[in-house]
Amino acid sequence: MFTFGATEGAQELVKKSDYERLINEFGAKSIDDEIISSFRKPHKFLLMKLFYAHRDLDLYLKERLNGRPVSIVSGRGPSNYMHIGHLVIFEFVKWLQDELDAEVYIPLSDDEKYVFGKVKSLDQAYTYAVDNALDLIALGFKEGKTFFFVSTRLSEIYELSVTLSRYLTFNTVRATFGLEGEGVNSGVVFYAAVQAAHILLPTAKKGLFVLVPIAMDQDPYMRLTRDIAVKAGFKKPAAVYSKYISGLTREPMSASKPETSVFLIDSEEDVRKKIWTAFTGGRPTVEEQRKFGGNPDICVVYEWLKVFIFKDLKTMDEHARKCRSGELLCGECKRMLADGLIKKLAEHKARKKQALKVIDRFFLHEIEIPEEIIKLLE
Amino acid sequence: MFTFGATEGAQELVKKSDYERLINEFGAKSIDDEIISSFRKPHKFLLMKLFYAHRDLDLYLKERLNGRPVSIVSGRGPSNYMHIGHLVIFEFVKWLQDELDAEVYIPLSDDEKYVFGKVKSLDQAYTYAVDNALDLIALGFKEGKTFFFVSTRLSEIYELSVTLSRYLTFNTVRATFGLEGEGVNSGVVFYAAVQAAHILLPTAKKGLFVLVPIAMDQDPYMRLTRDIAVKAGFKKPAAVYSKYISGLTREPMSASKPETSVFLIDSEEDVRKKIWTAFTGGRPTVEEQRKFGGNPDICVVYEWLKVFIFKDLKTMDEHARKCRSGELLCGECKRMLADGLIKKLAEHKARKKQALKVIDRFFLHEIEIPEEIIKLLE
C-alpha cells in the first residue's frame, strides 16, 4: 500500500483527472521544459510526460549543479515476483543515477508487506526481496553507489523510525493512509514512520538531499514524510511523480491478476498469449482497419510499445501515424510488442543470473540467497 | 511507563489493596510455601513476601526441574542514573540465575524512553543505558549467560516486533496502556509490540521458557504479552510480581525527586542527609519512645533495613521487637541504615569500575562507552 513504485491496487483509484489535481490542488509542479532541458539527454519517460510532476526537483538539481552529491531513494515492497511494470520507475532511477552520479538507496519493505497482510511471514517477504533485488541489479545500477536493504535487517532503520515516530501521531497516520477504525494493527501505525525513515536515511546518515521517484497516487505519504522531515530538522526530500501504465486488459497491472501484465519470469508462450488478448484501439475487421485506421490513444499495445520498446518520440509518433492511417494491423503491433518483450525478458534473465554473483556487494547487511531463488534462475 | 522493574511514577497508583486484587480479580496466584520450599535456599525477598504473586511460575519451575534450560527477561528503561530501589528486582534476578542456571536477557529500552518523551534523544538514552548496564553487571550476573542489548541496536528486536505487531491492534494498545485519545505518537503504539518482543526473544530465538520478574502494577502489559504469545504460537511467558518499596519520604521512589531515594552515584554526605530526614515510625521524644516503643510497620527506615541491609527474617523480627519495646531510638536505626548503605554503595562502585572492563562481553551487539560514563567512574 505505501511502497513507492507501481503499487498493487492503489492505482485503481487514479483517474486521468487526478493527474491534474496533484498539480492544481495539491501544490506539485509540472516538470517543465526548463527542467527537462537541464538534462544532457532527457529520458524518453520525461519527454513523453510519463514522469510529469514534482516537488522541489528544481532545488534538487540546483544542489547537484552546485557540485554537491545527491541521492535517490526508491523502494520496493517484496510481496511477489515482479512484473515489467514494476521496472519502469527503476529504469528511470538508474538513468538518473548515471545522469547525476547519485547514490541510490533501495529499501525492500518486508515489514510493510507483512503488517498489511500481503505475505504470510517475514521470511516469505525476504525471499521475494532477494528475487526482486536481483531483478533490479540486472537493470545496471552502479556497484558502490547503489545500496539495497531489507527493512527489518538494517538496525539503523528501526533507530531512525523511532526518532521520527515522535513527530507522527496516530491521528495523522489514520488520516493520511485512510485507515478504517482502530482495529488496525500497531505495525501498520508504525510503518508510516518506517517509510519516512527509508526516505530520510541518506539525509540522516550523510546529509544528502534525497529525491524520491514515485507513482503520483503516493503523494499523500510523500507530503507526510516532508512534514516529518521539517519537524525532525532534516532537509525536505524532493519527489518526481509518474503516471500509471495501463494493464493489458485495461485494468491496472496487478500481481494477483496475471493476465494484466507480463511477469519477469513469464515464458515466451505466456507472453505471446497475454499480448495476443491485450486491449487495442483497432477496428473489428481488417477491412475497417484499412479504411478508417486504428486509435492509438486508447490502445494498450501502443502504450506498451512506447514505454517498453520504442527508444524515442519520433518512432512513437511515426507508429501512431501509421496506425491512424490504417497502414498497421493490430496483429502486427502485437507481434512487434511480443517479440520485443520476449527479447527484453531473455536479456533481463541473463543479466539477472549475473546479478546473483554480485548481489552481496549491493546490500548494506549480510544476505543469504534462498534455495528457491537459485533454482528459479537455473 | 512500560518498563519492568521499579518504574518511575507508576507505583503512585498502587495501594496495598491492589496487591490482593492482582490475585483475587486478575487471576495471578500467591507464591505459596510449596513454591518457596522448592528453592534450595529461598531468597529473603520471597520469605518476606516482597515477591508475592506469579503466573505460571509453577510450570516454569517444573520445566527447569525436568532438566530443560530456562531464561529470565528483566528490562530497564534508561532515562536516568539508577537508584537503589531499581536494583531490587535485579538482585532477585541474579539470585534466580544462580538458583536455576538460567540465561538472563536484559533489554535496555531506549526506544521506550524516547517515544514517551522521557529523554530528549536516543543518544541520551544510550548513555544512561551503558551506565545502567554497568550497575547491573556489578551485581554479579554470569558472563556468557547474561545478555544485554539496547533495543534500537539489535535488529532481531525490530524483526520480532514486526512479527508480533500483527497480533496487536491500536484499540488493544490504547485500552491496555490507558492512552489518552489518538494524539498519541506512532512510536508509543508500536512500543507495545516491542516490549512483547523483548520478553519473547529467548523463546523465539531458542525455544526457552521465559520468566519475567516485574513490579505488580505492570501486570496489564504482562497479560497483553501472554495473549500475543498465544496468538503468535509461542509459549506463554511466566511472571513473578513484586510489591513496591516505599520512598524515604513515604512517596514512591522517583528519579525526579532525589529526596525519595538513594542514588547509586550519591555521595556519603547525600546518603546521611537523606536518611536523616527519612520518615520513621518513631515517637516525638526520646522519653515517649523509651516508654511506648516505635512502630516498625509504618517505618520506612525499618522497611529499607529489611530490603537493603538485613540478611534474614530472624534479624528483621528481632529488630522490630526491639523497636516496639523502646530499646531502639530512631537515630540508631538511621545510623545503621546510612552506614549500611554507604558501605553497599562503596562496594557497588568498586564492582562497577570492574564491570567497565568486561561490559562488551555482556552485550549482544557492539557498544561504545560514552566519555561521560568513564569520567563518572574515575
Side-chain angles (χ1 to χ4, degrees), chain B residues 187-219:
Chain B
V188 166
V189 177
F190 190 65
Y191 185 69
V194 176
Q195 175 155 293
H198 291 165
I199 294 177
L200 295 173
L201 185 71
T203 310
K205 221 175 143 134
K206 302 183 175 179
L208 297 176
F209 200 161
V210 164
L211 173 68
V212 184
I214 198 174
M216 57 74 60
D217 67 308
Q218 308 276 315
D219 180 56

PDB file of all heavy atoms in Angstrom, chain B residues 187-219:
ATOM      1  N   GLY B 187       5.127   5.830  17.643  1.00  0.00           N
ATOM      2  CA  GLY B 187       6.141   5.045  18.342  1.00  0.00           C
ATOM      3  C   GLY B 187       5.586   4.420  19.614  1.00  0.00           C
ATOM      4  O   GLY B 187       5.893   3.272  19.942  1.00  0.00           O
ATOM      5  N   VAL B 188       4.738   5.160  20.306  1.00  0.00           N
ATOM      6  CA  VAL B 188       4.108   4.640  21.526  1.00  0.00           C
ATOM      7  C   VAL B 188       3.225   3.437  21.181  1.00  0.00           C
ATOM      8  O   VAL B 188       3.239   2.421  21.878  1.00  0.00           O
ATOM      9  CB  VAL B 188       3.278   5.751  22.218  1.00  0.00           C
ATOM     10  CG1 VAL B 188       2.359   5.164  23.268  1.00  0.00           C
ATOM     11  CG2 VAL B 188       4.210   6.794  22.840  1.00  0.00           C
ATOM     12  N   VAL B 189       2.467   3.563  20.107  1.00  0.00           N
ATOM     13  CA  VAL B 189       1.579   2.470  19.708  1.00  0.00           C
ATOM     14  C   VAL B 189       2.390   1.209  19.409  1.00  0.00           C
ATOM     15  O   VAL B 189       2.056   0.110  19.846  1.00  0.00           O
ATOM     16  CB  VAL B 189       0.749   2.859  18.461  1.00  0.00           C
ATOM     17  CG1 VAL B 189      -0.113   1.681  18.005  1.00  0.00           C
ATOM     18  CG2 VAL B 189      -0.111   4.075  18.747  1.00  0.00           C
ATOM     19  N   PHE B 190       3.474   1.398  18.706  1.00  0.00           N
ATOM     20  CA  PHE B 190       4.291   0.236  18.311  1.00  0.00           C
ATOM     21  C   PHE B 190       5.068  -0.328  19.490  1.00  0.00           C
ATOM     22  O   PHE B 190       5.388  -1.517  19.520  1.00  0.00           O
ATOM     23  CB  PHE B 190       5.261   0.650  17.198  1.00  0.00           C
ATOM     24  CG  PHE B 190       5.991  -0.501  16.548  1.00  0.00           C
ATOM     25  CD1 PHE B 190       5.302  -1.459  15.821  1.00  0.00           C
ATOM     26  CD2 PHE B 190       7.364  -0.627  16.663  1.00  0.00           C
ATOM     27  CE1 PHE B 190       5.969  -2.513  15.207  1.00  0.00           C
ATOM     28  CE2 PHE B 190       8.050  -1.678  16.055  1.00  0.00           C
ATOM     29  CZ  PHE B 190       7.340  -2.626  15.330  1.00  0.00           C
ATOM     30  N   TYR B 191       5.356   0.529  20.475  1.00  0.00           N
ATOM     31  CA  TYR B 191       6.208   0.055  21.563  1.00  0.00           C
ATOM     32  C   TYR B 191       5.607  -1.141  22.301  1.00  0.00           C
ATOM     33  O   TYR B 191       6.339  -1.980  22.836  1.00  0.00           O
ATOM     34  CB  TYR B 191       6.571   1.168  22.559  1.00  0.00           C
ATOM     35  CG  TYR B 191       7.551   0.623  23.563  1.00  0.00           C
ATOM     36  CD1 TYR B 191       8.846   0.300  23.170  1.00  0.00           C
ATOM     37  CD2 TYR B 191       7.163   0.298  24.859  1.00  0.00           C
ATOM     38  CE1 TYR B 191       9.735  -0.301  24.042  1.00  0.00           C
ATOM     39  CE2 TYR B 191       8.048  -0.300  25.740  1.00  0.00           C
ATOM     40  CZ  TYR B 191       9.326  -0.601  25.325  1.00  0.00           C
ATOM     41  OH  TYR B 191      10.197  -1.219  26.184  1.00  0.00           O
ATOM     42  N   ALA B 192       4.287  -1.245  22.298  1.00  0.00           N
ATOM     43  CA  ALA B 192       3.655  -2.405  22.938  1.00  0.00           C
ATOM     44  C   ALA B 192       4.156  -3.707  22.297  1.00  0.00           C
ATOM     45  O   ALA B 192       4.397  -4.697  22.987  1.00  0.00           O
ATOM     46  CB  ALA B 192       2.139  -2.301  22.819  1.00  0.00           C
ATOM     47  N   ALA B 193       4.323  -3.683  20.982  1.00  0.00           N
ATOM     48  CA  ALA B 193       4.836  -4.874  20.282  1.00  0.00           C
ATOM     49  C   ALA B 193       6.323  -5.070  20.578  1.00  0.00           C
ATOM     50  O   ALA B 193       6.803  -6.200  20.694  1.00  0.00           O
ATOM     51  CB  ALA B 193       4.603  -4.732  18.776  1.00  0.00           C
ATOM     52  N   VAL B 194       7.040  -3.961  20.716  1.00  0.00           N
ATOM     53  CA  VAL B 194       8.478  -4.054  21.008  1.00  0.00           C
ATOM     54  C   VAL B 194       8.688  -4.678  22.389  1.00  0.00           C
ATOM     55  O   VAL B 194       9.542  -5.544  22.583  1.00  0.00           O
ATOM     56  CB  VAL B 194       9.150  -2.664  20.937  1.00  0.00           C
ATOM     57  CG1 VAL B 194      10.615  -2.750  21.331  1.00  0.00           C
ATOM     58  CG2 VAL B 194       8.998  -2.068  19.536  1.00  0.00           C
ATOM     59  N   GLN B 195       7.871  -4.243  23.339  1.00  0.00           N
ATOM     60  CA  GLN B 195       8.019  -4.803  24.685  1.00  0.00           C
ATOM     61  C   GLN B 195       7.737  -6.305  24.669  1.00  0.00           C
ATOM     62  O   GLN B 195       8.436  -7.091  25.324  1.00  0.00           O
ATOM     63  CB  GLN B 195       7.076  -4.098  25.651  1.00  0.00           C
ATOM     64  CG  GLN B 195       7.107  -4.739  27.018  1.00  0.00           C
ATOM     65  CD  GLN B 195       6.699  -3.777  28.105  1.00  0.00           C
ATOM     66  OE1 GLN B 195       7.393  -2.810  28.386  1.00  0.00           O
ATOM     67  NE2 GLN B 195       5.575  -4.028  28.731  1.00  0.00           N
ATOM     68  N   ALA B 196       6.722  -6.703  23.922  1.00  0.00           N
ATOM     69  CA  ALA B 196       6.430  -8.137  23.790  1.00  0.00           C
ATOM     70  C   ALA B 196       7.631  -8.851  23.159  1.00  0.00           C
ATOM     71  O   ALA B 196       7.987  -9.968  23.555  1.00  0.00           O
ATOM     72  CB  ALA B 196       5.167  -8.339  22.956  1.00  0.00           C
ATOM     73  N   ALA B 197       8.276  -8.208  22.200  1.00  0.00           N
ATOM     74  CA  ALA B 197       9.451  -8.807  21.554  1.00  0.00           C
ATOM     75  C   ALA B 197      10.608  -8.962  22.541  1.00  0.00           C
ATOM     76  O   ALA B 197      11.320  -9.970  22.524  1.00  0.00           O
ATOM     77  CB  ALA B 197       9.883  -7.969  20.348  1.00  0.00           C
ATOM     78  N   HIS B 198      10.782  -7.981  23.413  1.00  0.00           N
ATOM     79  CA  HIS B 198      11.824  -8.105  24.447  1.00  0.00           C
ATOM     80  C   HIS B 198      11.595  -9.378  25.255  1.00  0.00           C
ATOM     81  O   HIS B 198      12.520 -10.145  25.517  1.00  0.00           O
ATOM     82  CB  HIS B 198      11.789  -6.914  25.405  1.00  0.00           C
ATOM     83  CG  HIS B 198      12.230  -5.614  24.795  1.00  0.00           C
ATOM     84  ND1 HIS B 198      12.002  -4.401  25.380  1.00  0.00           N
ATOM     85  CD2 HIS B 198      12.878  -5.344  23.645  1.00  0.00           C
ATOM     86  CE1 HIS B 198      12.502  -3.434  24.624  1.00  0.00           C
ATOM     87  NE2 HIS B 198      13.035  -3.986  23.556  1.00  0.00           N
ATOM     88  N   ILE B 199      10.342  -9.568  25.650  1.00  0.00           N
ATOM     89  CA  ILE B 199      10.022 -10.705  26.525  1.00  0.00           C
ATOM     90  C   ILE B 199      10.126 -12.028  25.777  1.00  0.00           C
ATOM     91  O   ILE B 199      10.602 -13.025  26.312  1.00  0.00           O
ATOM     92  CB  ILE B 199       8.597 -10.536  27.116  1.00  0.00           C
ATOM     93  CG1 ILE B 199       8.570  -9.313  28.043  1.00  0.00           C
ATOM     94  CG2 ILE B 199       8.151 -11.795  27.855  1.00  0.00           C
ATOM     95  CD1 ILE B 199       7.207  -9.002  28.637  1.00  0.00           C
ATOM     96  N   LEU B 200       9.701 -12.032  24.517  1.00  0.00           N
ATOM     97  CA  LEU B 200       9.624 -13.310  23.796  1.00  0.00           C
ATOM     98  C   LEU B 200      10.896 -13.662  23.022  1.00  0.00           C
ATOM     99  O   LEU B 200      10.982 -14.726  22.415  1.00  0.00           O
ATOM    100  CB  LEU B 200       8.411 -13.297  22.860  1.00  0.00           C
ATOM    101  CG  LEU B 200       7.057 -13.222  23.601  1.00  0.00           C
ATOM    102  CD1 LEU B 200       5.906 -13.050  22.626  1.00  0.00           C
ATOM    103  CD2 LEU B 200       6.838 -14.470  24.459  1.00  0.00           C
ATOM    104  N   LEU B 201      11.896 -12.781  23.041  1.00  0.00           N
ATOM    105  CA  LEU B 201      13.124 -13.056  22.277  1.00  0.00           C
ATOM    106  C   LEU B 201      13.751 -14.429  22.599  1.00  0.00           C
ATOM    107  O   LEU B 201      14.043 -15.194  21.674  1.00  0.00           O
ATOM    108  CB  LEU B 201      14.147 -11.930  22.483  1.00  0.00           C
ATOM    109  CG  LEU B 201      15.421 -12.062  21.624  1.00  0.00           C
ATOM    110  CD1 LEU B 201      15.134 -11.790  20.157  1.00  0.00           C
ATOM    111  CD2 LEU B 201      16.521 -11.116  22.109  1.00  0.00           C
ATOM    112  N   PRO B 202      13.942 -14.785  23.880  1.00  0.00           N
ATOM    113  CA  PRO B 202      14.572 -16.091  24.155  1.00  0.00           C
ATOM    114  C   PRO B 202      13.718 -17.272  23.680  1.00  0.00           C
ATOM    115  O   PRO B 202      14.251 -18.323  23.333  1.00  0.00           O
ATOM    116  CB  PRO B 202      14.701 -16.105  25.685  1.00  0.00           C
ATOM    117  CG  PRO B 202      14.605 -14.673  26.111  1.00  0.00           C
ATOM    118  CD  PRO B 202      13.686 -14.027  25.124  1.00  0.00           C
ATOM    119  N   THR B 203      12.403 -17.072  23.661  1.00  0.00           N
ATOM    120  CA  THR B 203      11.509 -18.127  23.168  1.00  0.00           C
ATOM    121  C   THR B 203      11.622 -18.217  21.652  1.00  0.00           C
ATOM    122  O   THR B 203      11.750 -19.310  21.086  1.00  0.00           O
ATOM    123  CB  THR B 203      10.050 -17.818  23.576  1.00  0.00           C
ATOM    124  OG1 THR B 203      10.011 -17.533  24.971  1.00  0.00           O
ATOM    125  CG2 THR B 203       9.135 -18.992  23.275  1.00  0.00           C
ATOM    126  N   ALA B 204      11.568 -17.063  20.982  1.00  0.00           N
ATOM    127  CA  ALA B 204      11.633 -17.048  19.520  1.00  0.00           C
ATOM    128  C   ALA B 204      12.986 -17.551  19.020  1.00  0.00           C
ATOM    129  O   ALA B 204      13.074 -18.243  18.008  1.00  0.00           O
ATOM    130  CB  ALA B 204      11.380 -15.626  19.009  1.00  0.00           C
ATOM    131  N   LYS B 205      14.036 -17.205  19.753  1.00  0.00           N
ATOM    132  CA  LYS B 205      15.401 -17.492  19.323  1.00  0.00           C
ATOM    133  C   LYS B 205      15.818 -18.920  19.654  1.00  0.00           C
ATOM    134  O   LYS B 205      16.447 -19.598  18.856  1.00  0.00           O
ATOM    135  CB  LYS B 205      16.317 -16.534  20.108  1.00  0.00           C
ATOM    136  CG  LYS B 205      17.432 -15.920  19.324  1.00  0.00           C
ATOM    137  CD  LYS B 205      18.173 -14.904  20.186  1.00  0.00           C
ATOM    138  CE  LYS B 205      19.641 -14.962  19.884  1.00  0.00           C
ATOM    139  NZ  LYS B 205      20.271 -13.662  19.713  1.00  0.00           N
ATOM    140  N   LYS B 206      15.468 -19.357  20.874  1.00  0.00           N
ATOM    141  CA  LYS B 206      15.984 -20.637  21.373  1.00  0.00           C
ATOM    142  C   LYS B 206      14.922 -21.563  21.948  1.00  0.00           C
ATOM    143  O   LYS B 206      15.254 -22.592  22.533  1.00  0.00           O
ATOM    144  CB  LYS B 206      17.023 -20.364  22.473  1.00  0.00           C
ATOM    145  CG  LYS B 206      18.196 -19.510  22.051  1.00  0.00           C
ATOM    146  CD  LYS B 206      19.183 -19.385  23.205  1.00  0.00           C
ATOM    147  CE  LYS B 206      20.442 -18.638  22.789  1.00  0.00           C
ATOM    148  NZ  LYS B 206      21.377 -18.498  23.929  1.00  0.00           N
ATOM    149  N   GLY B 207      13.659 -21.161  21.843  1.00  0.00           N
ATOM    150  CA  GLY B 207      12.598 -22.011  22.386  1.00  0.00           C
ATOM    151  C   GLY B 207      12.568 -22.076  23.909  1.00  0.00           C
ATOM    152  O   GLY B 207      11.978 -22.980  24.487  1.00  0.00           O
ATOM    153  N   LEU B 208      13.195 -21.124  24.578  1.00  0.00           N
ATOM    154  CA  LEU B 208      13.264 -21.156  26.046  1.00  0.00           C
ATOM    155  C   LEU B 208      11.985 -20.621  26.695  1.00  0.00           C
ATOM    156  O   LEU B 208      11.390 -19.662  26.218  1.00  0.00           O
ATOM    157  CB  LEU B 208      14.457 -20.314  26.531  1.00  0.00           C
ATOM    158  CG  LEU B 208      15.847 -20.780  26.116  1.00  0.00           C
ATOM    159  CD1 LEU B 208      16.904 -19.785  26.608  1.00  0.00           C
ATOM    160  CD2 LEU B 208      16.134 -22.175  26.660  1.00  0.00           C
ATOM    161  N   PHE B 209      11.587 -21.259  27.770  1.00  0.00           N
ATOM    162  CA  PHE B 209      10.503 -20.771  28.630  1.00  0.00           C
ATOM    163  C   PHE B 209      11.056 -19.529  29.328  1.00  0.00           C
ATOM    164  O   PHE B 209      12.166 -19.539  29.845  1.00  0.00           O
ATOM    165  CB  PHE B 209      10.157 -21.863  29.651  1.00  0.00           C
ATOM    166  CG  PHE B 209       8.788 -21.736  30.287  1.00  0.00           C
ATOM    167  CD1 PHE B 209       8.210 -22.849  30.910  1.00  0.00           C
ATOM    168  CD2 PHE B 209       8.071 -20.553  30.272  1.00  0.00           C
ATOM    169  CE1 PHE B 209       6.953 -22.766  31.518  1.00  0.00           C
ATOM    170  CE2 PHE B 209       6.805 -20.465  30.870  1.00  0.00           C
ATOM    171  CZ  PHE B 209       6.252 -21.581  31.494  1.00  0.00           C
ATOM    172  N   VAL B 210      10.268 -18.454  29.340  1.00  0.00           N
ATOM    173  CA  VAL B 210      10.728 -17.172  29.901  1.00  0.00           C
ATOM    174  C   VAL B 210       9.988 -16.866  31.198  1.00  0.00           C
ATOM    175  O   VAL B 210       8.775 -17.081  31.295  1.00  0.00           O
ATOM    176  CB  VAL B 210      10.490 -16.021  28.890  1.00  0.00           C
ATOM    177  CG1 VAL B 210      10.592 -14.653  29.567  1.00  0.00           C
ATOM    178  CG2 VAL B 210      11.468 -16.104  27.733  1.00  0.00           C
ATOM    179  N   LEU B 211      10.715 -16.342  32.160  1.00  0.00           N
ATOM    180  CA  LEU B 211      10.123 -15.806  33.386  1.00  0.00           C
ATOM    181  C   LEU B 211      10.431 -14.314  33.443  1.00  0.00           C
ATOM    182  O   LEU B 211      11.561 -13.903  33.172  1.00  0.00           O
ATOM    183  CB  LEU B 211      10.720 -16.501  34.616  1.00  0.00           C
ATOM    184  CG  LEU B 211      10.307 -15.926  35.988  1.00  0.00           C
ATOM    185  CD1 LEU B 211       8.832 -16.183  36.278  1.00  0.00           C
ATOM    186  CD2 LEU B 211      11.184 -16.514  37.107  1.00  0.00           C
ATOM    187  N   VAL B 212       9.412 -13.521  33.800  1.00  0.00           N
ATOM    188  CA  VAL B 212       9.601 -12.077  33.899  1.00  0.00           C
ATOM    189  C   VAL B 212       9.338 -11.621  35.333  1.00  0.00           C
ATOM    190  O   VAL B 212       8.187 -11.610  35.769  1.00  0.00           O
ATOM    191  CB  VAL B 212       8.664 -11.318  32.936  1.00  0.00           C
ATOM    192  CG1 VAL B 212       8.943  -9.823  32.981  1.00  0.00           C
ATOM    193  CG2 VAL B 212       8.804 -11.840  31.517  1.00  0.00           C
ATOM    194  N   PRO B 213      10.357 -11.265  36.076  1.00  0.00           N
ATOM    195  CA  PRO B 213      10.163 -10.653  37.395  1.00  0.00           C
ATOM    196  C   PRO B 213       9.824  -9.181  37.193  1.00  0.00           C
ATOM    197  O   PRO B 213      10.518  -8.481  36.447  1.00  0.00           O
ATOM    198  CB  PRO B 213      11.525 -10.826  38.079  1.00  0.00           C
ATOM    199  CG  PRO B 213      12.266 -11.818  37.221  1.00  0.00           C
ATOM    200  CD  PRO B 213      11.764 -11.591  35.834  1.00  0.00           C
ATOM    201  N   ILE B 214       8.786  -8.710  37.849  1.00  0.00           N
ATOM    202  CA  ILE B 214       8.187  -7.445  37.439  1.00  0.00           C
ATOM    203  C   ILE B 214       7.416  -6.837  38.600  1.00  0.00           C
ATOM    204  O   ILE B 214       6.928  -7.564  39.460  1.00  0.00           O
ATOM    205  CB  ILE B 214       7.253  -7.768  36.228  1.00  0.00           C
ATOM    206  CG1 ILE B 214       6.879  -6.559  35.410  1.00  0.00           C
ATOM    207  CG2 ILE B 214       6.029  -8.492  36.697  1.00  0.00           C
ATOM    208  CD1 ILE B 214       6.094  -6.988  34.153  1.00  0.00           C
ATOM    209  N   ALA B 215       7.329  -5.516  38.632  1.00  0.00           N
ATOM    210  CA  ALA B 215       6.510  -4.877  39.672  1.00  0.00           C
ATOM    211  C   ALA B 215       5.040  -5.157  39.362  1.00  0.00           C
ATOM    212  O   ALA B 215       4.643  -5.209  38.196  1.00  0.00           O
ATOM    213  CB  ALA B 215       6.772  -3.375  39.707  1.00  0.00           C
ATOM    214  N   MET B 216       4.237  -5.315  40.400  1.00  0.00           N
ATOM    215  CA  MET B 216       2.881  -5.850  40.216  1.00  0.00           C
ATOM    216  C   MET B 216       1.977  -4.970  39.351  1.00  0.00           C
ATOM    217  O   MET B 216       1.078  -5.465  38.700  1.00  0.00           O
ATOM    218  CB  MET B 216       2.227  -6.170  41.566  1.00  0.00           C
ATOM    219  CG  MET B 216       2.115  -5.063  42.584  1.00  0.00           C
ATOM    220  SD  MET B 216       0.855  -3.811  42.215  1.00  0.00           S
ATOM    221  CE  MET B 216      -0.629  -4.821  42.162  1.00  0.00           C
ATOM    222  N   ASP B 217       2.234  -3.669  39.335  1.00  0.00           N
ATOM    223  CA  ASP B 217       1.356  -2.802  38.542  1.00  0.00           C
ATOM    224  C   ASP B 217       1.620  -2.933  37.041  1.00  0.00           C
ATOM    225  O   ASP B 217       0.914  -2.352  36.226  1.00  0.00           O
ATOM    226  CB  ASP B 217       1.525  -1.344  38.964  1.00  0.00           C
ATOM    227  CG  ASP B 217       2.885  -0.813  38.621  1.00  0.00           C
ATOM    228  OD1 ASP B 217       3.873  -1.470  38.989  1.00  0.00           O
ATOM    229  OD2 ASP B 217       2.972   0.234  37.955  1.00  0.00           O
ATOM    230  N   GLN B 218       2.632  -3.686  36.674  1.00  0.00           N
ATOM    231  CA  GLN B 218       2.953  -3.885  35.261  1.00  0.00           C
ATOM    232  C   GLN B 218       2.198  -5.087  34.682  1.00  0.00           C
ATOM    233  O   GLN B 218       2.399  -5.464  33.527  1.00  0.00           O
ATOM    234  CB  GLN B 218       4.457  -4.121  35.082  1.00  0.00           C
ATOM    235  CG  GLN B 218       5.340  -3.070  35.748  1.00  0.00           C
ATOM    236  CD  GLN B 218       5.526  -1.852  34.893  1.00  0.00           C
ATOM    237  OE1 GLN B 218       5.780  -1.955  33.699  1.00  0.00           O
ATOM    238  NE2 GLN B 218       5.367  -0.683  35.466  1.00  0.00           N
ATOM    239  N   ASP B 219       1.325  -5.671  35.491  1.00  0.00           N
ATOM    240  CA  ASP B 219       0.640  -6.874  35.048  1.00  0.00           C
ATOM    241  C   ASP B 219      -0.175  -6.707  33.758  1.00  0.00           C
ATOM    242  O   ASP B 219      -0.208  -7.615  32.932  1.00  0.00           O
ATOM    243  CB  ASP B 219      -0.243  -7.422  36.174  1.00  0.00           C
ATOM    244  CG  ASP B 219      -0.970  -8.683  35.744  1.00  0.00           C
ATOM    245  OD1 ASP B 219      -0.281  -9.636  35.335  1.00  0.00           O
ATOM    246  OD2 ASP B 219      -2.216  -8.717  35.795  1.00  0.00           O
TER     247      ASP B 219
END
